[in-house]
Amino acid sequence: MFNAQQLAQFSEKETPFYYYDMALLQRTLESAREASQKNNFHVHYALKANFNDRLLTAIKDAGFGADCVSGNEVQKAVDAGFDPKKITFAGVGKSDKEIRLALGHQIFAFNVESIEELQVINELAAEMGTKANVALRINPNVDAHTHHYITTGLDENKFGVTKSELERSASVIKSCEHIELVGLHFHIGSQITDMNVFKSLCVKVNEWKNWFEERGIPIKVLNVGGGLGIDYHNPDENPMPDFKAYFQIFDQFLDRNPQQEVHFELGRALVAQSASLVSRVLYVKNGQKKNFAILDAGMTELMRPALYQAYHKIERLSQDAPSEATETLNYDVVGPICESSDCFGKEVTLPVTQRGDLIAIRSAGAYGEVMASKYNLRDEIRYVYSDELS
Ligand SMILES: *Cc1c(COP(=O)(O)O)cnc(C)c1O
């Protein structure tokens, strides 16, 4: 995936750095836009996956809205030029300050996660003499069949209101004069690759939509959240998710009347494949039981493997294409941080590696640089953008 010219330029750069393939990002955005427009679906990009300025500009220019999970993200989206009418604000713990900020920007909607939150937004909106659009987040109890840390739609998760609270939610909404219910919101988890999961979601959304409509409460927007996964194992073979197949599921299985809008909140699917974390091997330890490749990048630059044992493809970058004759060894590829969990991959087969070799950790565009930390007083993250290479 990297050509000789890129590699020559990489070798002159200080590592580690995030490398952004801006052409791939553009192709991904276009593919998602085309597939969603065909069905008249609205996509809000989930900023939390990556709020890098250059990415946000590209995403905004491609016509997407923004899905935010903090007041600062709402502000960031506004500053990046997203139309407030296309900004939503989700999250289980919105503070009063964050709610006021979002009310001030007159964003499209709050995705509300509890009855208490409905009441607080109502009060704050009243104080400000305004009205808040809300979408009620319903926990549909659908198993996303993904890592348990990134499953959010089961009864045992902290997100949304459950079935038993719906009756009360509906009556609270009715009694709140400064709240307008515009939609229902669902988000069941992340890195979902089994399309049947989305089918099950559609069935639940239909049920809840009917529940409201039977009670004479019209629902304008069905927001089905995000969660579409990517292929971490084969980033070159599958550089983009199958957006067409994804949107088709909802087109086929979601009951909606012609005035009803369908909203999506994609994060990872739009940005993950367009970045790699490029790092240098500092030391190689050939132990009795194991070989270690110690990198100058660690969990402080990319936390996903340490946080949820996430898999990322790891490659040694080299000018010579690997051949049958290339000798390989298995390495535990680790970072320099003083934590045993600072490990990018165990028993990774790589061409025999030495100090100074460049290593790419692929598919790092989502939940990568945004989770970076200063732990161990590490350097600020560095970036290289494909269109800025000479
Ligand atoms: C994180 C999040 C998303 C985006 O999830 P992806 O898996 O990156 O698509 C969408 N909606 C909500 C409410 C979220 O919390």
Side-chain angles (χ1 to χ4, degrees), residues 46 48-49 67 69 90-91 111 113 137 159 185 187 189-191 225-228 265-269 366-367:
K48 77 170 191 284
D67 169 48
V69 289
N111 293 335
E113 308 238 5
R137 179 166 183 177
F159 300 98
H185 174 230
H187 174 71
S190 202
Q191 183 52 20
L228 175 61
E265 303 168 333
L266 293 179
R268 185 191 315 271
Y367 309 104

